[in-house]
Amino acid sequence: MPQTQVLARKWRPRNFTELTGQEHVVRALTNALEQNRLHHAYLLTGTRGVGKTTIARILAKSLNCEKGVTATPCGVCPTCLQIDSGSFIDLIELDAASNTQVDNMRELLENALYAPTSGRYKIYIIDEVHMLSKSAFNAMLKTLEEPPMHVKFVLATTDQQKIPITILSRCLQFNLKQIPQTQISDHLKGILAQEEIPYDLISLQLVARAAQGSMRDALSLLDQAIAFGAGKIEEASVRDMLGIIDQGYLFNLLDTLVQRDGLKLISLADEMEMQCLSFDSALQDLAAILHRVALAQAVPQAISEDIPEHIRINALAKILTPDDIQLFYQIALHGRGDLSLAPDEYAGFTMTLMRMLTFMPENLAVNQPPHAPPTNIKQPAKAEHKPYSVSKHTTQREIADASDLTWPQLVQQLKLTGMAKMLAQHSETKILSADKIELCVPEAHKHLLEKKYQDKIQSALNTFFNKPVVLNFFVGSITGLTPVAIQQRVEEEKQAQAIAAIEKDPIVQELIEQFDAKLIVPSIKPIQDKGDKQ
């Protein structure tokens, strides 16, 4: 049975026209070859698998092709065929990672003094050149300063910063870019068509995304996907192979967030845990979706209709405000960073979802009664008033004239969203009147004090009171009576009451006594009435 060649080697480009991406490098080298303006040393930089060694070998063929120095080597002459097979005697490839010592470099440079055996130029390709020792670089320097006419160096590296400036200054440098996903996907389509392997577009997009700009990685993953799918490439098998989370889960999470359905959010998280899905990957992909939603709002043409999720992305872009998207994006990033600090990944993931839910815009801000602070919490001197309630018939003007309004109650009425809402909820009043409001922000949240967020609160207050209000912010110590803190205490008190009610329930007590049952405290949730639901 004949041995099958891996795709990365079988489909390695053999000339510049077959190369995918790196058009800027191809254009420069093509012009140099056509005008015979050749440099003695080239430095190719870029991440793995973007074409550094491939370009070096094509350049070697261009310089040594038997039809002459050309940007389009024939590919059929003995020299071109030998370079393709790796047997051309005047092409010397060195892996600097395993040949770091100065002795290796001296031996190589001594051989460089001799004329080529059969080619026009003697080509030295040194891969991962940044791994050479300092002594080896010093040995190379003299040859780069006064190179023989018949020698060309092509240096390749993934870490340009580690190469001495004396070497860099003597090389013509080309920075290879990561290949865009669309170009990788299109290239894979062409290969699979010629290989006569069935595929679907979503699978190729998943492979291209996982390759992270590396064509070699994409071809290796494609090989793996073919084996994994028993000769065909399907979305389900590719997702299993890559361990990619079904994007449907994440869109369902965002849709549920829009509906402010906390119970369903937890249910979806439980389902993801049952599927043994990675919560770290989930938050990473959630941030990626929010990024695309932000693009759909700001630059709609950036979201191609070829993207499988474009309908759901555009739907979210019409519902969420730009501020909310930016806030949720930041929460997702911070939540991912905090996963290692959480009691477990499930707790970290669900806490991130609850944080998003907390700052979700409230559709019924004016007509819904605000949460009054618990009676056992002492209010600051400026806000020591009886609990304030708003009936369905209370007008905004009556609220503005009320003398017993507190900052947490006022925040409920302002219809703030996103980061402006977060700033308001983490602030505590020092002065509160219909003419002047001074808010203190704790040191931990001073990063929220951006002018655009202060301006949004200012505008909301002016609208609410129907006149200009003096608003000042400052950073300092607080007593802990911010809207967020009070809301948390209210929820804790409700939770404690719910637990106490269950523990005192006669039926529950009988079950515990007769069947030695145990009460699962974390499963107890207080019942919310319609006035509390927001």
Side-chain angles (χ1 to χ4, degrees):
M1 185 175 179
Q3 186 176 2
T4 304
Q5 194 175 23
V6 297
L7 294 177
R9 294 190 62 185
K10 182 177 180 180
W11 293 97
R12 169 171 275 183
R14 305 198 183 277
N15 53 60
F16 287 129
T17 58
E18 294 179 1
L19 197 68
T20 301
Q22 318 308 343
E23 289 81 3
H24 62 299
V25 178
V26 171
R27 187 185 308 114
L29 291 177
T30 297
N31 291 338
L33 289 164
E34 290 176 347
Q35 299 168 18
N36 201 28
R37 299 179 65 86
L38 304 176
H39 204 273
H40 65 279
Y42 298 88
L43 176 63
L44 305 176
T45 67
T47 55
R48 70 185 188 282
V50 293
K52 299 185 295 296
T53 306
T54 295
I55 289 176
R57 290 177 181 172
I58 296 173
L59 181 59
K61 284 197 290 187
S62 297
L63 292 171
N64 282 301
C65 180
E66 292 184 6
K67 77 174 187 180
V69 175
T70 174
T72 56
C74 68
V76 295
C77 69
T79 297
C80 287
L81 292 175
Q82 288 173 20
I83 291 175
D84 283 337
S85 64
S87 60
F88 186 59
I89 194 169
D90 291 320
L91 175 61
I92 300 96
E93 293 193 41
L94 179 73
D95 180 12
S98 54
N99 296 275
T100 61
Q101 301 305 312
V102 65
D103 292 340
N104 302 113
M105 184 54 61
R106 281 176 178 160
E107 182 181 355
L108 181 147
L109 295 173
E110 286 172 4
N111 291 331
L113 298 174
Y114 300 106
T117 302
S118 61
R120 192 174 295 108
Y121 292 99
K122 186 174 282 190
I123 312 293
Y124 288 89
I125 299 176
I126 305 178
D127 199 15
E128 298 299 345
V129 68
H130 66 275
M131 298 290 287
L132 291 177
S133 65
K134 184 177 180 181
S135 300
F137 274 126
N138 289 335
M140 183 192 292
L141 185 58
K142 183 170 178 57
T143 305
L144 289 179
E145 286 175 338
E146 301 174 7
M149 294 296 294
H150 60 268
V151 172
K152 301 294 181 187
F153 287 94
V154 184
L155 313 180
T157 179
T158 55
D159 194 350
Q160 179 183 345
Q161 304 300 321
K162 293 183 180 178
I163 300 177
I165 188 65
T166 50
I167 300 293
L168 292 175
S169 63
R170 289 166 173 81
C171 297
L172 198 60
Q173 299 179 43
F174 294 101
N175 182 29
L176 277 66
K177 302 173 183 177
Q178 289 187 326
I179 304 171
Q181 289 181 17
T182 52
Q183 285 192 343
I184 292 178
S185 180
D186 290 342
H187 188 62
L188 299 184
K189 287 180 197 175
I191 290 175
L192 290 174
Q194 295 184 65
E195 293 283 337
E196 297 184 346
I197 295 174
Y199 65 90
D200 60 70
L201 293 178
I202 296 179
S203 296
L204 296 191
Q205 290 170 353
L206 294 174
V207 170
R209 188 182 302 170
Q212 296 183 335
S214 168
M215 184 62 77
R216 186 178 65 226
D217 285 3
L219 291 170
S220 298
L221 288 171
L222 195 63
D223 254 329
Q224 187 179 347
I226 292 169
F228 197 85
K232 57 184 178 180
I233 298 178
E234 297 175 332
E235 181 185 356
S237 62
V238 170
R239 285 191 184 278
D240 288 342
M241 181 192 79
L242 297 175
I244 294 175
I245 293 174
D246 185 348
Q247 300 289 287
Y249 277 116
L250 305 179
F251 280 104
N252 288 343
L253 283 173
L254 290 173
D255 289 341
T256 304
L257 192 63
V258 169
Q259 298 163 11
R260 297 183 54 81
D261 190 339
L263 185 60
K264 188 175 178 182
L265 274 179
I266 298 302
S267 176
L268 286 169
D270 290 343
E271 189 175 340
M272 293 171 70
E273 186 179 37
M274 290 285 290
Q275 297 290 331
C276 298
L277 300 179
S278 166
F279 288 124
D280 180 78
S281 298
L283 288 174
Q284 181 182 19
D285 290 353
L286 196 62
I289 289 174
L290 289 166
H291 166 251
R292 292 199 291 272
V293 174
L295 282 179
Q297 284 187 334
V299 192
Q301 58 270 30
I303 303 299
S304 170
E305 291 189 2
D306 294 336
I307 298 175
E309 309 93 352
H310 79 277
I311 294 177
R312 301 193 74 170
I313 288 171
N314 289 327
L316 285 169
K318 294 175 182 177
I319 297 172
L320 296 172
T321 68
D323 275 1
D324 292 327
I325 294 170
Q326 294 294 332
L327 175 61
F328 296 154
Y329 178 80
Q330 290 296 326
I331 290 175
L333 293 184
H334 286 296
R336 188 182 177 207
D338 290 345
L339 276 184
S340 60
L341 303 176
D344 54 64
E345 283 206 352
Y346 173 83
F349 181 70
T350 51
M351 182 58 78
T352 302
L353 296 180
M354 293 302 101
R355 196 173 298 144
M356 291 180 178
L357 185 63
T358 299
F359 293 104
M360 194 65 204
E362 298 169 7
N363 298 326
L364 303 175
V366 174
N367 292 330
Q368 292 292 337
H371 291 291
T375 56
N376 60 342
I377 298 177
K378 187 176 180 182
Q379 300 293 316
K382 291 287 181 180
E384 277 190 351
H385 302 294
K386 61 184 179 181
Y388 181 75
S389 61
V390 181
S391 71
K392 291 183 178 180
H393 305 291
T394 306
T395 65
Q396 182 167 296
R397 183 66 187 173
E398 289 170 342
I399 294 172
D401 291 339
S403 61
D404 54 358
L405 190 63
T406 67
W407 176 244
Q409 295 160 357
L410 182 54
V411 170
Q412 290 283 342
Q413 311 301 321
L414 294 182
K415 300 182 182 180
L416 296 169
T417 62
M419 300 294 280
K421 180 179 179 182
M422 182 180 278
L423 172 58
Q425 291 195 326
H426 282 93
S427 301
E428 184 176 279
T429 50
K430 299 302 179 181
I431 297 177
L432 176 59
S433 69
D435 300 310
K436 182 177 182 181
I437 297 176
E438 283 197 0
L439 298 172
C440 180
V441 180
E443 183 75 20
H445 297 288
K446 67 179 183 180
H447 62 280
L448 298 172
L449 283 171
E450 290 191 23
K451 187 176 185 302
K452 59 182 179 180
Y453 306 140
Q454 295 185 38
D455 289 346
K456 287 187 177 182
I457 297 175
Q458 177 76 71
S459 177
L461 287 170
N462 292 347
T463 301
F464 183 82
F465 287 104
N466 199 25
K467 65 178 181 179
V469 178
V470 177
L471 176 65
N472 294 317
F473 284 91
F474 63 93
V475 178
S477 300
I478 62 173
T479 62
L481 292 174
T482 62
V484 164
I486 291 175
Q487 179 63 26
Q488 185 176 352
R489 293 186 193 184
V490 170
E491 296 300 331
E492 289 173 355
E493 185 175 286
K494 288 181 179 178
Q495 180 70 15
Q497 291 172 353
I499 293 172
I502 292 292
E503 288 176 339
K504 293 177 181 178
D505 187 275
I507 297 177
V508 173
Q509 291 178 347
E510 186 177 351
L511 288 171
I512 293 174
E513 291 174 2
Q514 291 188 6
F515 299 101
D516 195 24
K518 291 184 179 179
L519 194 63
I520 304 175
V521 174
S523 68
I524 301 173
K525 302 296 179 185
I527 298 174
Q528 290 188 334
D529 58 34
K530 293 181 180 179
D532 289 334
K533 195 173 183 180
Q534 296 184 6

